[in-house]
Amino acid sequence: MKYQYSEDNKAKAIKRNRTIMSVQYGIGATVMIYMLFNNWSTLGVEIKAPLLVGLIVLPFAWIYFDRNFRAKFSSSYEIQDDYLIIEEKGAVKHKISLDSIRQLKKIPNGHRIESNSGTAYILDGIDNKDELLKKINKTSS
């Protein structure tokens, strides 16, 4: 059985993340613009250049992090042949043997899986997440 995000949870999380990012980046852009226009004549080139580059790069950073966040919500989790398979956009991102899981720890936004092959995350909002965690705990113990 595949465990993934419902469309409702996905839409709410993406909207919340976009709002938070817009506020944060908007405040940053406002501060940079204020510094540039208020102190244009007194600022040297060594300050003006990074601020201008920052203003140009800011929209691209927003797009990059938004795309990265949305990719996390296209993840699906599946247990097959004693492996936890984590897919992101249809491609396998992690394939973790359930026997190699050392620790399943609760974090603020989900659970962190520490295994011999690396660290993976199961974020909150997945349908039937409790069932998935019980299967992981049962087979890894």
Coordinates of all heavy atoms in Angstrom, one line a residue, residues 53-100:
V53 N 22.3 42.7 -6.5 CA 22.3 41.3 -6.9 C 21.3 40.5 -6.1 O 20.6 39.6 -6.6 CB 23.7 40.7 -6.8 CG1 23.7 39.2 -6.9 CG2 24.7 41.3 -7.8
G54 N 21.2 40.8 -4.8 CA 20.2 40.2 -4.0 C 18.8 40.4 -4.4 O 18.0 39.5 -4.4
L55 N 18.5 41.6 -4.9 CA 17.1 41.9 -5.4 C 16.9 41.2 -6.7 O 15.7 40.8 -6.9 CB 17.0 43.4 -5.6 CG 16.8 44.2 -4.3 CD1 16.8 45.7 -4.7 CD2 15.5 43.9 -3.7
I56 N 17.9 41.0 -7.5 CA 17.7 40.3 -8.8 C 17.5 38.8 -8.5 O 16.7 38.1 -9.1 CB 18.9 40.5 -9.7 CG1 18.9 42.0 -10.1 CG2 18.9 39.6 -10.9 CD1 20.1 42.5 -10.8
V57 N 18.3 38.2 -7.6 CA 18.3 36.8 -7.3 C 17.1 36.3 -6.5 O 16.6 35.2 -6.5 CB 19.6 36.4 -6.6 CG1 19.5 35.0 -6.0 CG2 20.8 36.5 -7.5
L58 N 16.5 37.3 -5.7 CA 15.4 37.0 -4.8 C 14.2 36.2 -5.4 O 13.8 35.2 -4.9 CB 14.9 38.2 -4.1 CG 14.2 38.1 -2.8 CD1 15.1 37.5 -1.7 CD2 13.7 39.5 -2.3
P59 N 13.7 36.6 -6.6 CA 12.6 35.9 -7.2 C 13.0 34.4 -7.6 O 12.2 33.5 -7.5 CB 12.2 36.7 -8.4 CG 12.8 38.0 -8.2 CD 14.0 37.8 -7.3
F60 N 14.2 34.3 -8.1 CA 14.7 33.0 -8.4 C 14.8 32.0 -7.2 O 14.6 30.8 -7.3 CB 16.0 33.0 -9.2 CG 15.9 33.8 -10.5 CD1 16.4 35.1 -10.6 CD2 15.2 33.3 -11.6 CE1 16.3 35.8 -11.8 CE2 15.0 34.0 -12.7 CZ 15.6 35.2 -12.9
A61 N 15.3 32.6 -6.1 CA 15.4 31.8 -4.9 C 14.0 31.4 -4.4 O 13.8 30.3 -4.0 CB 16.1 32.7 -3.8
W62 N 13.0 32.3 -4.5 CA 11.6 32.0 -4.1 C 11.1 30.8 -5.0 O 10.5 29.9 -4.5 CB 10.7 33.2 -4.3 CG 9.4 33.0 -3.7 CD1 9.0 33.4 -2.4 CD2 8.2 32.5 -4.3 NE1 7.7 33.1 -2.2 CE2 7.2 32.5 -3.3 CE3 7.9 31.9 -5.5 CZ2 5.9 32.1 -3.6 CZ3 6.7 31.4 -5.8 CH2 5.7 31.5 -4.8
I63 N 11.3 30.9 -6.3 CA 10.9 29.8 -7.2 C 11.6 28.5 -6.8 O 11.0 27.4 -6.8 CB 11.2 30.2 -8.7 CG1 10.2 31.3 -9.1 CG2 11.0 29.0 -9.6 CD1 10.6 32.0 -10.4
Y64 N 12.9 28.5 -6.6 CA 13.7 27.3 -6.3 C 13.1 26.7 -5.0 O 12.9 25.5 -5.0 CB 15.2 27.7 -6.1 CG 16.0 26.5 -5.6 CD1 16.4 25.5 -6.4 CD2 16.3 26.5 -4.2 CE1 17.1 24.4 -5.9 CE2 17.1 25.4 -3.7 CZ 17.4 24.4 -4.6 OH 18.1 23.3 -4.1
F65 N 13.0 27.4 -3.9 CA 12.5 26.8 -2.7 C 11.1 26.4 -2.7 O 10.7 25.4 -2.1 CB 12.8 27.8 -1.5 CG 14.2 27.9 -1.2 CD1 15.0 29.0 -1.4 CD2 14.9 26.8 -0.7 CE1 16.3 29.1 -1.0 CE2 16.3 26.8 -0.4 CZ 17.0 28.0 -0.5
D66 N 10.2 27.1 -3.5 CA 8.9 26.7 -3.7 C 8.8 25.4 -4.4 O 8.1 24.5 -4.0 CB 8.1 27.8 -4.4 CG 6.6 27.4 -4.6 OD1 6.0 27.1 -3.6 OD2 6.1 27.3 -5.7
R67 N 9.6 25.2 -5.5 CA 9.6 24.0 -6.2 C 10.1 22.8 -5.4 O 9.6 21.7 -5.4 CB 10.5 24.2 -7.5 CG 10.3 23.1 -8.5 CD 11.1 23.4 -9.7 NE 10.4 24.4 -10.5 CZ 10.9 25.2 -11.4 NH1 12.2 25.0 -11.8 NH2 10.2 26.1 -12.1
N68 N 11.2 23.1 -4.6 CA 11.7 22.1 -3.7 C 10.7 21.7 -2.6 O 10.6 20.5 -2.3 CB 13.0 22.7 -3.0 CG 13.9 21.7 -2.5 OD1 13.8 20.5 -2.8 ND2 14.8 22.1 -1.7
F69 N 9.9 22.6 -2.1 CA 8.9 22.3 -1.1 C 7.8 21.5 -1.7 O 7.3 20.5 -1.1 CB 8.4 23.6 -0.5 CG 7.4 23.3 0.6 CD1 7.8 23.0 1.9 CD2 6.0 23.4 0.4 CE1 6.9 22.8 2.9 CE2 5.1 23.2 1.4 CZ 5.6 22.9 2.7
R70 N 7.4 21.9 -2.9 CA 6.3 21.1 -3.6 C 6.7 19.7 -3.9 O 5.9 18.8 -3.9 CB 5.8 21.8 -4.8 CG 4.9 23.0 -4.5 CD 4.4 23.6 -5.8 NE 5.4 24.2 -6.6 CZ 5.5 24.2 -7.9 NH1 4.6 23.6 -8.6 NH2 6.5 24.7 -8.6
A71 N 8.0 19.5 -4.2 CA 8.5 18.1 -4.5 C 8.4 17.2 -3.3 O 8.1 16.0 -3.5 CB 10.0 18.2 -5.0
K72 N 8.6 17.8 -2.1 CA 8.4 17.0 -0.9 C 7.0 16.5 -0.7 O 6.7 15.4 -0.2 CB 8.8 17.8 0.3 CG 10.3 18.0 0.4 CD 10.7 18.7 1.7 CE 12.1 19.1 1.8 NZ 13.1 18.5 1.1
F73 N 6.0 17.2 -1.2 CA 4.6 16.9 -1.1 C 4.2 15.9 -2.2 O 3.0 15.5 -2.2 CB 3.7 18.1 -1.0 CG 3.7 18.6 0.4 CD1 4.6 19.6 0.8 CD2 2.9 18.1 1.4 CE1 4.6 20.1 2.1 CE2 2.9 18.6 2.7 CZ 3.8 19.6 3.0
S74 N 5.0 15.6 -3.2 CA 4.7 14.6 -4.2 C 5.3 13.3 -3.8 O 5.4 12.4 -4.6 CB 5.2 15.1 -5.5 OG 6.6 15.1 -5.5
S75 N 5.8 13.2 -2.5 CA 6.4 12.0 -2.1 C 5.4 10.9 -1.8 O 4.3 11.2 -1.4 CB 7.2 12.2 -0.8 OG 8.3 13.1 -1.0
S76 N 5.8 9.7 -2.0 CA 4.9 8.5 -1.6 C 5.8 7.5 -0.8 O 7.0 7.4 -1.2 CB 4.2 7.9 -2.7 OG 5.2 7.3 -3.6
Y77 N 5.3 6.8 0.1 CA 6.0 5.9 0.9 C 5.3 4.5 0.8 O 4.1 4.4 0.7 CB 5.9 6.3 2.4 CG 6.4 7.7 2.6 CD1 5.6 8.8 2.5 CD2 7.7 7.9 3.0 CE1 6.0 10.1 2.7 CE2 8.2 9.2 3.2 CZ 7.3 10.3 3.1 OH 7.8 11.6 3.3
E78 N 6.2 3.5 0.6 CA 5.7 2.2 0.4 C 6.6 1.2 1.1 O 7.8 1.3 1.0 CB 5.5 1.9 -1.1 CG 4.9 0.6 -1.4 CD 4.6 0.5 -2.9 OE1 5.2 1.3 -3.7 OE2 3.9 -0.4 -3.3
I79 N 6.0 0.1 1.7 CA 6.8 -1.0 2.2 C 6.7 -2.2 1.3 O 5.6 -2.7 1.1 CB 6.4 -1.3 3.7 CG1 6.7 -0.1 4.6 CG2 7.1 -2.5 4.2 CD1 6.2 -0.3 6.0
Q80 N 7.8 -2.6 0.7 CA 7.9 -3.7 -0.2 C 9.1 -4.6 0.1 O 10.2 -4.1 0.2 CB 8.0 -3.3 -1.6 CG 6.7 -2.9 -2.3 CD 7.0 -2.6 -3.8 OE1 8.1 -2.4 -4.2 NE2 5.9 -2.4 -4.5
D81 N 8.9 -5.9 0.3 CA 10.0 -6.8 0.5 C 11.0 -6.4 1.6 O 12.2 -6.4 1.4 CB 10.8 -7.0 -0.8 CG 9.9 -7.5 -1.9 OD1 8.9 -8.3 -1.6 OD2 10.1 -7.2 -3.1
D82 N 10.4 -6.0 2.7 CA 11.2 -5.5 3.9 C 12.1 -4.3 3.6 O 13.2 -4.1 4.1 CB 12.1 -6.6 4.4 CG 11.3 -7.7 5.1 OD1 10.2 -7.3 5.6 OD2 11.7 -8.8 5.2
Y83 N 11.6 -3.4 2.7 CA 12.3 -2.2 2.4 C 11.2 -1.1 2.4 O 10.1 -1.2 2.0 CB 12.9 -2.2 1.0 CG 14.2 -2.9 0.8 CD1 14.2 -4.2 0.4 CD2 15.4 -2.3 1.1 CE1 15.4 -4.9 0.3 CE2 16.6 -3.0 1.0 CZ 16.6 -4.3 0.6 OH 17.8 -5.0 0.5
L84 N 11.6 0.1 3.0 CA 10.8 1.3 2.9 C 11.3 2.1 1.7 O 12.5 2.5 1.6 CB 11.0 2.1 4.2 CG 10.3 3.5 4.2 CD1 8.8 3.3 4.1 CD2 10.7 4.3 5.4
I85 N 10.4 2.2 0.8 CA 10.7 2.9 -0.5 C 10.1 4.3 -0.5 O 8.9 4.4 -0.3 CB 10.3 2.1 -1.7 CG1 10.9 0.7 -1.7 CG2 10.6 2.9 -3.0 CD1 10.4 -0.2 -2.7
I86 N 10.9 5.3 -0.6 CA 10.4 6.7 -0.6 C 10.6 7.2 -2.0 O 11.8 7.3 -2.5 CB 11.2 7.6 0.4 CG1 11.0 7.0 1.8 CG2 10.6 9.0 0.4 CD1 11.8 7.7 2.9
E87 N 9.5 7.6 -2.7 CA 9.6 8.1 -4.0 C 9.2 9.6 -4.0 O 8.3 10.0 -3.2 CB 8.6 7.4 -4.9 CG 8.9 5.9 -5.2 CD 7.8 5.2 -6.1 OE1 6.9 5.9 -6.5 OE2 8.0 4.1 -6.3
E88 N 9.9 10.3 -4.8 CA 9.6 11.7 -5.0 C 9.5 12.0 -6.5 O 10.4 11.8 -7.3 CB 10.8 12.6 -4.4 CG 10.4 13.9 -4.0 CD 11.5 14.6 -3.2 OE1 11.6 14.5 -2.0 OE2 12.3 15.3 -3.9
K89 N 8.3 12.4 -6.9 CA 7.9 12.7 -8.3 C 8.2 11.4 -9.1 O 8.7 11.5 -10.3 CB 8.7 13.9 -8.9 CG 8.4 15.2 -8.3 CD 9.1 16.3 -9.0 CE 8.6 17.6 -8.6 NZ 9.2 18.7 -9.2
G90 N 7.8 10.3 -8.6 CA 7.9 9.0 -9.3 C 9.3 8.4 -9.4 O 9.4 7.3 -9.8
A91 N 10.3 9.1 -8.9 CA 11.7 8.5 -8.8 C 12.0 8.1 -7.4 O 11.6 8.8 -6.4 CB 12.7 9.5 -9.3
V92 N 12.7 7.0 -7.2 CA 13.0 6.5 -5.9 C 14.1 7.3 -5.3 O 15.2 7.5 -5.9 CB 13.5 5.0 -6.0 CG1 14.0 4.5 -4.6 CG2 12.4 4.1 -6.5
K93 N 13.8 8.0 -4.2 CA 14.8 8.8 -3.5 C 15.6 8.1 -2.5 O 16.7 8.2 -2.3 CB 14.1 10.0 -2.9 CG 15.0 11.0 -2.3 CD 14.4 12.3 -2.0 CE 15.5 13.2 -1.5 NZ 15.1 14.6 -1.3
H94 N 14.9 7.2 -1.7 CA 15.5 6.4 -0.7 C 14.9 5.0 -0.7 O 13.7 4.8 -1.0 CB 15.2 6.9 0.8 CG 15.8 8.3 1.0 ND1 17.1 8.4 1.3 CD2 15.2 9.5 1.2 CE1 17.4 9.7 1.5 NE2 16.2 10.4 1.5
K95 N 15.8 4.0 -0.5 CA 15.3 2.6 -0.4 C 16.1 2.1 0.8 O 17.2 1.8 0.8 CB 15.7 1.8 -1.6 CG 15.1 0.4 -1.6 CD 15.3 -0.3 -2.9 CE 14.7 -1.7 -2.9 NZ 14.9 -2.4 -4.1
I96 N 15.3 2.0 1.9 CA 15.9 1.7 3.2 C 15.4 0.3 3.7 O 14.2 0.1 3.8 CB 15.4 2.8 4.3 CG1 15.9 4.2 3.8 CG2 16.0 2.5 5.6 CD1 15.3 5.3 4.6
S97 N 16.3 -0.5 4.0 CA 16.0 -1.8 4.6 C 15.4 -1.6 6.0 O 16.0 -0.8 6.8 CB 17.3 -2.7 4.7 OG 17.0 -3.8 5.4
L98 N 14.3 -2.3 6.3 CA 13.7 -2.1 7.6 C 14.6 -2.6 8.7 O 14.5 -2.2 9.8 CB 12.3 -2.8 7.6 CG 11.3 -2.1 6.7 CD1 10.0 -2.9 6.7 CD2 11.0 -0.7 7.0
D99 N 15.4 -3.6 8.4 CA 16.4 -4.1 9.4 C 17.5 -3.1 9.7 O 18.1 -3.2 10.8 CB 17.0 -5.4 8.9 CG 16.0 -6.5 8.7 OD1 14.9 -6.5 9.4 OD2 16.2 -7.4 7.9
S100 N 17.8 -2.2 8.8 CA 18.9 -1.3 9.1 C 18.4 0.0 9.8 O 19.3 0.8 10.1 CB 19.5 -0.9 7.7 OG 18.7 -0.1 7.0

